[in-house]
Amino acid sequence: MTTPSARAQRRTATLLLAPFFILFAAVTLAPLVYAGWMSLFTTHTSGLGFGGTEEVFAGLDNYVRALADPAFRGGFLTIAAYVAIYIPVMIGGALVLALLLDSALTRARTFFQLALFLPHAVPGLIAALIWVYLYTPGLSPVIDFLGAGGLDIDFLSADNAVFSAANIAVWEWIGYNMVIFYAALKAVPTEALDAAKIDGAGQIRTALSIKVPMIRPAIALAVLFTVIGSVQLFTEPKVIYSASSSIGSSWTPNMFVQTAAFTHNDFGLAAAASLLIALFAALLSFLVTRFSRSRSKP
Amino acid sequence: MTRVAPAGSRPAPERTDRSRTDKPRPGRRGPGNRPSVLLSKAGVTAMLGLAALYTLLPMLWLVLSSTKSRQDLFATNGFAPGKDFALVDNLTYLFEVDNGIFLRWLLNTVLYAGVGSLLATVFSVAAGYTFDKLNFPGKEKLFSFVLLGVMVPGTAMAIPLYLIAAKAGLVNTFWGVFIPGLVFPFGVYLARVFSASYIPDEVLEAARVDGAGELRTFCRIALPMIAPGFVTIFLFQFTQIWNSFFLPLVMLSDKDLFPVNLGLYVWYSSALSQGHPQDYLLAIVGSLVSVVPLVVLFLMLQRFWKSGMTAGAVK
């Protein structure tokens, strides 16, 4: 029953899908499978290291080792602490800024949108470099300024590093999320706002009781996307790490992976840990997709 | 930046802003609407202004520091201009040091991010269009593979990619960083959404009735119609590749292959670990030089990133 047109469509479909799927197989599926395979082996050094190495099947041993390693688990604790600071500050800040921008009072909307969004145009690594300079005693005008006010803060100490890393991320993402929330606020029906006004609700009351609940789905999605991004945290901690000896080389899970692979040459462990991180992030992404689907079907 | 903003603006939200801001609100001075000090015009502007200071001051620091001599960098306040205006000297030094390696890094980045995301966008749009407009067996099953790709996180894939690249002999080659950038599953997803909203089915039907082949219809009719979506997807992938750091870090050891990010990081960490004060300055000036084109790009294309962000986030 295939008509010539259906056949033509199928042929074109194959042609147009081929580049993406061939590359997708090479860049996503093959590495996943190969890393999965590698994660089942460990390298044994025979003798005193002179006899060469051999790959030994280890089953799930690498996964057990990763999960049992305090350094790996500590990485997730770092992420948890980081998220606990970062999410409320960044999401809350972006929300307040979006509401301010949305309030009829604001002039120069375009300027503020651009000024607040601008850091997002700065690559994460450069953002981290800028801020770590601003955290470095002797270089930083911020430290000088605080010191003049009698405040001595070591931004790079072990206790403060989580805050310092979170601040870099807030700087990069607050404007981005503000633009998203602002766009969502525009979709709030005018009637609802007018009704609130007629009922005598003030600006703050309208914001808290009408606007925020109506854009809650956008906020929840932003939170989940931010958590997924945080699980993969690497660039900022890596830059802080090179400036400060106070945090370890396995401060975040991805740093643990890099250390396992290139400092200890333990590729089986690195592969297993990578896959655990990927799995964890993929589970979170799955939640996001489920969440946004169930939302779009009213 | 204040000067650039209005010129490059025409922002989408303002246009979609329906009556809410254009019309004066009748109830503004109503009884329940007593504005507190914080919510006065000045109060709101002041709060937004504070936030803008937070985002702009570090950029100002970067610009000012790039104009300072090495002595001034360490001796003067970061938010004040230096005694000497050394921007030209710094730029000359930046592009001359190590036989002009910085220019090479910039060119590499343009290849990785520019060419890479251009190709990735072509592949994504072709696939997204196919999923939206063409009929073939197993369509939705295949599309769920794309969604799987969206869920696999980029940074966590660096080591698996390294392992497979090692197997394929691509470690420490241009291709080891370039090829992964060609795949952008989220772009396929976006392209399908854009195709559905930008390309009316009737137009394709008309083209088919006129006897245009499927491929010709895609190239001549669909591609021009989806152009704004194309730019959006390109911008997304471009930023992603330009931002990537973990992958080049594990994949490359040959300095000549570095993207700018990795080069700056190496300068920065050698400034710290080996006490090369001149490398501090290089990392700062190099950062400025690589940020400026991005900022200009974002200002020029803001209509597209705004629509893309909302299409991506508020599905």
Side-chain angles (χ1 to χ4, degrees), chain A residues 9 102 105 124 133 167 197, chain B residues 20 25 39 54 135 243 280:
Chain A
Q9 284 203 17
D102 189 57
L105 301 168
Y133 276 114
N167 174 56
K197 192 145 289 164
Chain B
R20 282 185 30 217
R25 293 205 190 164
L39 288 177
Y54 167 68
N135 280 314
N243 262 316
Y280 267 121

Side-chain angles (χ1 to χ4, degrees), chain A residues 174-199:
Chain A
I174 194 166
Y176 181 93
N177 285 292
M178 180 198 73
V179 172
I180 288 178
F181 295 160
Y182 181 54
L185 283 172
K186 301 230 124 138
V188 173
T190 323
E191 300 82 57
L193 299 174
D194 287 345
K197 192 145 289 164
I198 288 165
D199 290 347

Side-chain angles (χ1 to χ4, degrees), chain A residues 69-92:
Chain A
D69 194 324
F72 187 61
R73 291 199 310 238
F76 282 96
L77 289 181
T78 305
I79 298 292
Y82 169 86
V83 164
I85 298 159
Y86 172 46
I87 298 259
V89 174
M90 193 276 282
I91 297 285

Side-chain angles (χ1 to χ4, degrees), chain A residues 5-6 8-10 12-13 15-17 19-21 23-24 26-32 34-35 38 97 100-107 109-126 129-134 138-139 141-142 167 170-171 174 176 179-180 182-183 185-190 193 197 200-204 211 218 221 225 232 234-235 238-239 242-243 254 257-258 261-262 267 270-271 274-275 277-278 281-282 285-286 289 292-293 295-296, chain B residues 1-2 5 9 11 13-14 16-21 25 27-28 32-33 39-41 44-45 47-49 51-52 54-56 58-59 61-62 73-74 77-79 123 126-127 129-131 133-137 142 145-149 151-157 159-164 167 179-180 182-185 188 208 214-215 218 236 239 242-243 245-246 249-250 261 264-265 268-269 272 279-280 283-284 287 290-291 294-295 298-299 302 305-306 309-310 312-315:
Chain A
S5 121
Q9 284 203 17
R10 216 183 283 176
T12 314
L15 199 69
L16 291 181
L17 288 178
F20 173 79
F21 276 101
L23 286 163
F24 181 65
V27 165
T28 308
L29 300 179
L32 280 177
Y34 189 61
M38 285 279 287
L97 291 172
L100 287 175
L101 208 60
D102 189 57
S103 77
L105 301 168
T106 309
R107 283 173 297 176
R109 276 202 181 83
T110 311
F111 166 75
F112 283 123
Q113 279 200 59
L114 285 176
L116 293 168
F117 183 82
L118 212 54
H120 192 69
V122 177
L125 180 97
I126 293 179
L129 289 185
I130 294 175
W131 275 101
V132 170
Y133 276 114
L134 293 176
L139 268 177
V142 178
N167 174 56
V170 170
W171 188 74
I174 194 166
Y176 181 93
V179 172
I180 288 178
Y182 181 54
L185 283 172
K186 301 230 124 138
V188 173
T190 323
L193 299 174
K197 192 145 289 164
Q203 289 266 12
I204 293 182
K211 290 181 177 177
L221 272 187
F225 279 122
Q232 307 174 57
F234 179 76
T235 307
K238 186 75 186 165
V239 174
S242 47
N254 271 328
V257 167
Q258 196 217 356
F262 298 103
F267 281 101
S274 270
L275 292 177
I277 299 168
S285 301
F286 178 70
T289 333
S292 51
R293 282 235 190 97
R295 197 174 53 81
S296 58
Chain B
M1 258 148 307
T2 15
S9 55
E14 251 68 9
T16 56
D17 198 7
R18 296 196 293 279
S19 58
R20 282 185 30 217
T21 48
R25 293 205 190 164
R28 187 181 276 179
N33 225 354
L39 288 177
S40 66
K41 201 167 249 187
V44 169
T45 311
M47 284 189 278
L48 284 166
Y54 167 68
T55 53
L56 293 182
M59 310 273 256
W61 176 86
L62 182 66
L73 180 65
F74 295 101
N77 185 293
F79 294 127
F123 300 155
Y129 167 84
T130 307
F131 279 119
K133 296 288 188 240
L134 298 179
N135 280 314
F136 56 94
L142 210 52
F145 262 104
V146 176
L147 292 180
L148 175 82
M151 287 176 204
V152 174
T155 311
M157 282 295 288
I159 289 290
L161 274 169
Y162 171 85
L163 296 174
I164 200 92
K167 196 79 185 161
I179 295 176
L182 299 178
V183 178
F184 187 30
V188 177
R208 280 173 195 145
E214 289 294 334
L215 202 59
F218 170 69
F236 262 67
T239 350
W242 195 292
N243 262 316
F245 171 62
F246 195 10
L249 179 72
V250 301
N261 260 351
L264 291 173
Y265 173 75
Y268 164 82
S269 33
L272 289 175
D279 286 357
Y280 267 121
I284 291 174
S287 295
S290 42
V291 160
L294 285 181
V295 168
F298 265 95
L299 289 178
Q302 54 166 312
W305 54 254
K306 273 182 189 162
M309 275 162 59
T310 43
V314 197
K315 281 169 209 171

Side-chain angles (χ1 to χ4, degrees), chain A residues 43-54:
Chain A
T43 307
H44 273 252
T45 313
S46 37
L48 293 166
F50 297 112
T53 56
E54 54 170 345

Side-chain angles (χ1 to χ4, degrees), chain B residues 245-262:
Chain B
F245 171 62
F246 195 10
L247 183 68
L249 179 72
V250 301
M251 202 68 86
L252 302 175
S253 50
D254 179 356
K255 261 182 154 184
D256 284 346
L257 297 172
F258 282 8
V260 125
N261 260 351
L262 190 53

